[in-house]
Amino acid sequence: MSTLTIGQVAERTGFSTSSLRYYEGIGLVPPAARTAAGYRLYDEATVDRLAFIARAKQLGCTLEEITDLVSVWDGDRCGPVQRRFHELVTAKIAETEQRLQELTRFAGQLQAAATQLGAEPIDGPCDDGCACMAPLPHDRSAPVELGPKPPREDVPIACSLSAEGVHEREREWSGLLAHVERRSPAPGGGVRLAFDAATPLPDLLRLVAAEQDCCRFFSFTVGIDADGTTLDVRAPVEAEPLVTALFGAAA
């Protein structure tokens, strides 16, 4: 049996020696043996065990969950380990999607606040009528709004991106629009895009904010509820052909 010192194991696995000592203390990774002088010795099975632990950590498992997994791992049968690992990862998908929805709502509130705070300040101290004190949406069931709801009639129909930037932006939208399940008329004009459950919400939110920054005549509303994710896209009448060209026509 090959033996490895704690330093060698740390170098091969990426775990620090202090982490290895801590894992030993909680019974997660005991050394295979000790020298007469009390130095820890490990074997290749320990390296494999640590690789499994690293994988579980990468997928967001807690130490308690990893301890549970390792206890199954010690049975030397892959089937029970894989089934338990699958249960944990599936649960984390639901948790992550919930957090994404909460972060998306919060980002929408931040965008709404930024829009309010970008207005001309009042003449005098802050009060209920100023942007600093204006209430923000707080109803968790309400759609998240990014940018003003009505089309921006007071903004020129122009894009600040370069030709290369426009090409790259179209490529990004193309990837996201592949997740659109249906298009329908949006309330108040424009098109409503209904996305499938696999849509990467952070990418959608980022791209909406970027598009609003370069093409301010667009108006976007992101909605998240029990039925899924939608995006309403509106523009002044003269820019409606651009909405259709980039986002598709309402069916």
Side-chain angles (χ1 to χ4, degrees), residues 75-215:
D76 291 331
R77 293 179 59 240
C78 179
V81 179
Q82 183 169 324
R83 285 192 291 272
R84 179 59 182 142
F85 210 172
H86 180 264
E87 291 173 0
L88 286 172
V89 170
T90 301
K92 290 185 183 300
I93 290 173
E95 294 170 4
T96 300
E97 289 177 345
Q98 178 63 35
R99 289 200 298 270
L100 283 173
Q101 291 184 10
E102 292 172 355
L103 287 171
T104 300
R105 292 187 182 95
F106 181 54
Q109 290 186 339
L110 291 175
Q111 183 65 38
T115 300
Q116 291 173 350
L117 293 168
E120 189 69 22
I122 64 173
D123 184 15
C126 290
D127 58 25
D128 292 342
C130 77
C132 304
M133 304 291 288
L136 293 173
H138 62 277
D139 182 358
R140 292 172 61 87
S141 64
V144 177
E145 296 187 1
L146 298 182
K149 189 172 183 179
R152 295 293 303 274
E153 302 287 350
D154 58 334
V155 176
I157 309 302
C159 178
S160 61
L161 292 176
S162 64
E164 182 179 353
V166 169
H167 179 73
E168 175 62 20
R169 180 62 52 75
E170 290 175 345
R171 186 191 65 79
E172 290 182 284
W173 273 120
S174 178
L176 273 174
L177 294 178
H179 292 278
V180 173
E181 294 183 318
R182 63 185 180 278
R183 291 173 172 82
S184 59
V191 60
R192 167 167 290 180
L193 311 177
F195 290 86
D196 62 29
T199 304
L201 294 180
D203 290 349
L204 176 62
L205 181 63
R206 175 189 59 78
L207 200 51
V208 165
E211 193 69 47
Q212 181 75 84
D213 185 56
C214 70
C215 298

Side-chain angles (χ1 to χ4, degrees), residues 38-67:
Y39 293 107
R40 298 169 178 83
L41 293 177
Y42 301 88
D43 56 18
E44 291 296 329
T46 301
V47 175
D48 291 340
R49 187 188 189 99
L50 286 165
F52 177 72
I53 290 171
R55 175 64 168 160
K57 284 174 61 68
Q58 182 185 39
L59 294 175
C61 292
T62 66
L63 274 179
E64 183 179 359
E65 291 168 337
I66 292 172
T67 300

